[in-house]
Structure formats: structure tokens, C-alpha cells
Amino acid sequence: MPNPNITLVQGDITEQDVDAVVNAANSSLLGGGGVDGAIHRKGGSEILAECRSLRASRYGGGLPVGHAAPTTGGKLLARWVIHTVGPVWQPDEDRSALLASCHRESLRVARELGARTVAFPAISTGVFRWPVEDAARIAVGTLREEGEGFEELRFVLFDKRAYDAFAAAL
């Protein structure tokens, strides 16, 4: 099968000119720290309003780990935000399938939206403590397996360490 066009940049995911950005959200969908907080701050109140609507309808108990749901991109350059909840890393429990599911489900939602270009952060590597080298291996592997048909799948890495880990996995 054709290899998807996977690219890497070191930078700010809120400044990416793509169809959709993936948000490493918390299950509340109401904003938080890291990527989640940055997307909500820069994207504005429209994103939060749609997240509240999702909570009031489909996700009353919060968005489950490994699932994904779309909202507007608000004031971002991206038309859409695809929110996904990554797993918290547990040294004594293999949660790799949940992390892979975040990427797979985000791609599914992107296809449903008609997105051709999608930017991903390093899901679960911040406050959820997933080792970045392992997260990179899982993320790159999932996009290689599931990312056919997109014009570009871009990993946007905040720092050099994450960029280097994803470059090595790629």
C-alpha cells in the first residue's frame, strides 16, 4: 500500500495552516494545559461552545480515552479541531492500543470531515508522561498503517527532543 505523506515540523500546532489540527484533549473537552490549553486560547470561544455542546449531547461523561470528536477551528488557521483523549502512561500496564486508537480515530474523523491535511501533536507525552520515543513509534506506525489518502499528515513537535524522537521513528 502507498506510504502516506508524513512530515515533521518543530513549532506551534496552533499556527499550522492545515485542514484539521488534532488536540491532545482531556476527557472534559473544556480545555486544560499544554496543547489543549493553547488550542482553546488561540482558537477562541467557538471551540469551547462546541465542546460544551458535545458534552451536553454525546459525551455527558466526557470523551473516552482513545476516541475522537470534531469541532470548529474557531480563530485557528485550521478549519477543524479533532479532539482526542490520550492515555496516561502506566509503567506496569501496556496501553499502547489506546494511544494508537487516538491516531486511528483522529484519522477516521478527518476522513469524515473531508480533511486532506492534518497536524498531530505528540499525544500523551506531556502531563500524561508517555515516553516520547515510544509515543513516536506508536504514532508514526499508526499513521503509516492507517493514513492512506491524505495529502499530508504532519507531526508538530514543540521541542527538539520530541522532534528528534519522531524523526528517528520516521
Side-chain angles (χ1 to χ4, degrees):
M1 98 175 106
N3 222 6
N5 183 19
I6 300 173
T7 61
L8 304 175
V9 297
Q10 185 177 332
D12 181 344
I13 198 160
T14 69
E15 295 178 1
Q16 302 304 303
D17 190 2
V18 292
D19 296 332
V21 295
V22 174
N23 179 19
N26 65 51
S27 64
S28 77
L29 294 175
L30 302 179
V35 169
D36 194 21
I39 285 173
H40 275 272
R41 281 190 301 277
K42 188 148 186 184
S45 60
E46 296 98 340
I47 295 173
L48 183 58
E50 285 192 26
C51 283
R52 284 189 172 131
S53 177
L54 285 169
R55 284 296 305 269
S57 59
R58 279 182 76 180
Y59 301 109
L63 184 64
V65 172
H67 291 237
T71 65
T72 179
K75 296 176 184 158
L76 298 174
L77 293 172
R79 182 170 175 192
W80 299 289
V81 175
I82 300 170
H83 305 267
T84 189
V85 181
V88 174
W89 184 71
Q90 300 290 332
D92 56 348
E93 179 185 350
D94 183 6
R95 306 187 84 200
S96 301
L98 288 170
L99 185 55
S101 179
C102 291
H103 296 85
R104 188 175 305 107
E105 286 297 301
S106 294
L107 290 171
R108 179 189 58 76
V109 170
R111 280 190 183 92
E112 289 173 359
L113 294 169
R116 305 289 299 136
T117 55
V118 184
F120 286 81
I123 298 168
S124 286
T125 63
V127 71
F128 289 175
R129 301 181 320 276
W130 204 288
V132 70
E133 294 81 7
D134 192 50
R137 176 188 60 78
I138 293 165
V140 168
T142 304
L143 265 56
R144 278 188 170 140
E145 290 171 17
E146 308 284 338
E148 189 176 342
F150 288 94
E151 186 178 310
E152 181 187 9
L153 299 172
R154 181 184 308 166
F155 286 108
V156 182
L157 295 317
F158 189 72
D159 60 25
K160 182 165 175 24
R161 180 170 177 256
Y163 182 92
D164 289 347
F166 276 74
L170 199 55

